[in-house]
Amino acid sequence: MKTQPSDPKTSRRLLSLDTLRGFDMLFIMGFAGLVAALCKLCPGGFSDWLAAQMGHAEWDGFFHHDTIFPLFLFIAGISFPFSLAKQQSLGYSRARIWRRIIRRGIVLVVLGFVYNGLFQLQLDTLRLPSVLGRIGLAWMCAAMIYISCGMRTRVAIAATLLLGYGLLLQLVPAPDAAGAGPLTLEGNIVGFVDRTIMPSHIYMREEGFDPEGLLSTLPAIVTALLGMFTGAFVRRPESEVSGSRKAAYMAAGAVVMLLLALVLDPLQPINKKLWTPAFVFAAGAYSLGMFALFYYLIDVRKWRRWTYFFEVIGVNSITIYMAQRFIRMSYTSEFFLGGLAAKCPPEVGAVILSTGYVAVCWLLLWFLHRQKIHLKV
């Protein structure tokens, strides 16, 4: 196993990482709906553009909401070298570390089943792929690669995965969609694999496609690996690379990945549902750029007074993701603010209720944080 020396200064938990995770999850926690509601107060022009950013691209394209999922996976990747160093410093055996990796991956897959309605017991139509399932599988595979290989081999595997997946998408259309292009909703090989293996267990059953399907997990592994490469770089001692230089190098890396995405886009468009190589680089550019910014502001310049709001979310991210599925946060918002919202114009009322929803979610997480309750996988 390739290891790095354990250094307390480089093994500590990064506040910038928790803050960025909280910023990312804020949009899932209702903030995207709040922004869309605010945009309806002044429709047209920039407001319409911004409101569109709070949703996903229908097929090809890249909206802000398309960054949330890969950024979370990227952050999970950054965390792993720090977690690995801590486990090694505690004397964990190689077998124990492997067990922890596999267990985490399996738990996330199971939580994905729960999120999709496992307890409704409609097992014949239960959606098997999920956001959490993809995070679990992609992170688990990336972690196995990371602890088993040296840096050159990790990079070679990542490049091979992207190249192989891109060629497969381009050259192998779905056999059951004659005449449809290999990069279309109907004609891509990703959808064919899912509707062949689990036709009744995918998200878009009528279209025969699932955006978190099996085959497109392969490039998602690369997204997790990019995060792990970043985490390994940030762990380097200050005596080797200063924090300011780390932030500058990461910003430069983000620019390089953006250029790669722009070069690939005309050949194979940026597409989140297919998780194309161009999407990997576009999302990687955003993720690395955002982390460079947060790292520089918080961990280098020590500007931390503004971070608490996001940190509360970031340390309990899985909690709020799952809680919104089985706790009706909107009920509490409507109970306290429904009367006020009803007395306002509909557009203003929507803003009030959306603000209340975000507040209820945050206050729940704040209470858990105050009680030092942090649910982790």
Side-chain angles (χ1 to χ4, degrees):
M1 184 193 306
K2 301 293 183 179
T3 64
Q4 293 173 295
S6 180
D7 182 345
K9 292 183 179 180
T10 57
S11 297
R12 69 186 186 279
R13 190 178 185 95
L14 290 177
L15 179 58
S16 57
L17 206 56
D18 287 330
T19 306
L20 180 57
R21 187 186 296 109
F23 172 81
D24 190 44
M25 288 302 299
L26 178 64
F27 290 89
I28 297 296
M29 205 178 78
F31 187 67
L34 174 58
V35 172
L38 285 168
C39 289
K40 290 183 180 179
L41 297 177
C42 301
F46 175 77
S47 291
D48 289 350
W49 175 85
L50 184 58
Q53 296 304 307
M54 296 301 105
H56 293 292
E58 185 173 345
W59 190 245
D60 295 335
F62 194 65
F63 291 2
H64 178 268
H65 220 58
D66 295 320
T67 68
I68 295 173
F69 184 2
L71 175 56
F72 190 91
L73 181 55
F74 185 87
I75 291 171
I78 295 176
S79 299
F80 181 67
F82 291 88
S83 171
L84 179 62
K86 181 178 179 180
Q87 293 176 70
Q88 291 169 343
S89 70
L90 293 173
Y92 287 11
S93 67
R94 180 186 179 93
R96 184 175 181 181
I97 293 173
W98 272 84
R99 287 196 299 269
R100 287 170 63 90
I101 290 170
I102 295 171
R103 182 182 65 188
R104 186 178 191 230
I106 292 173
V107 168
L108 284 168
V109 170
V110 172
L111 286 177
F113 294 158
V114 173
Y115 187 91
N116 287 345
L118 175 64
F119 294 118
Q120 299 300 313
L121 301 181
Q122 298 177 353
L123 302 184
D124 55 333
T125 58
L126 174 69
R127 183 192 177 201
L128 297 181
S130 66
V131 169
L132 290 178
R134 168 158 294 180
I135 292 171
L137 292 174
W139 178 89
M140 180 177 68
C141 292
M144 290 176 176
I145 294 168
Y146 186 89
I147 67 173
S148 302
C149 308
M151 180 55 74
R152 290 184 179 179
T153 305
R154 297 168 193 162
V155 172
I157 291 173
T160 301
L161 284 173
L162 278 189
L163 179 61
Y165 179 74
L167 290 174
L168 184 66
L169 277 182
Q170 196 76 39
L171 302 177
V172 184
D176 61 351
L183 300 177
T184 63
L185 174 61
E186 301 81 9
N188 69 84
I189 190 64
V190 174
F192 172 76
V193 169
D194 291 333
R195 61 180 173 263
T196 300
I197 296 175
M198 47 184 177
S200 300
H201 300 278
I202 56 179
Y203 182 59
M204 303 163 62
R205 283 196 288 270
E206 291 186 5
E207 295 86 354
F209 184 81
D210 195 298
E212 279 78 53
L214 292 173
L215 194 58
S216 53
T217 301
L218 294 176
I221 295 172
V222 180
T223 298
L225 280 171
L226 290 175
M228 291 178 189
F229 297 159
T230 303
F233 174 70
V234 173
R235 281 198 66 247
R236 294 179 64 179
E238 291 285 321
S239 58
E240 293 183 12
V241 187
S242 69
S244 296
R245 288 179 64 191
K246 289 176 184 176
Y249 287 147
M250 288 190 289
V255 172
V256 170
M257 282 199 284
L258 177 59
L259 292 175
L260 287 171
L262 294 176
V263 168
L264 288 175
D265 184 58
L267 305 174
Q268 195 172 85
I270 297 170
N271 185 305
K272 176 184 178 293
K273 291 182 173 65
L274 291 175
W275 214 283
T276 58
F279 175 78
V280 171
F281 288 123
Y286 174 83
S287 301
L288 184 57
M290 289 295 290
F291 178 64
L293 175 63
F294 276 59
Y295 176 78
Y296 178 74
L297 294 177
I298 298 169
D299 291 312
V300 177
R301 298 301 301 271
K302 310 298 183 184
W303 295 346
R304 298 178 171 178
R305 292 184 178 181
W306 59 278
T307 63
Y308 184 74
F309 176 84
F310 298 105
E311 182 187 358
V312 165
I313 306 169
V315 296
N316 256 321
S317 54
I318 296 294
T319 303
I320 194 58
Y321 183 79
M322 293 296 297
Q324 290 180 98
R325 185 63 169 164
F326 54 82
I327 299 176
R328 190 183 166 201
M329 307 292 185
S330 59
Y331 175 84
T332 306
S333 176
E334 292 166 2
F335 180 83
F336 287 104
L337 300 174
L340 176 61
K343 295 183 180 298
C344 299
E347 294 80 7
V348 177
V351 171
I352 292 172
L353 291 176
S354 295
T355 302
Y357 185 94
V358 174
V360 169
C361 291
W362 189 86
L363 288 171
L364 171 63
L365 296 180
W366 173 79
F367 174 78
L368 294 175
H369 188 54
R370 291 275 293 183
Q371 302 301 315
K372 302 186 185 302
I373 299 173
H374 302 122
L375 304 180
K376 302 175 183 178
V377 176

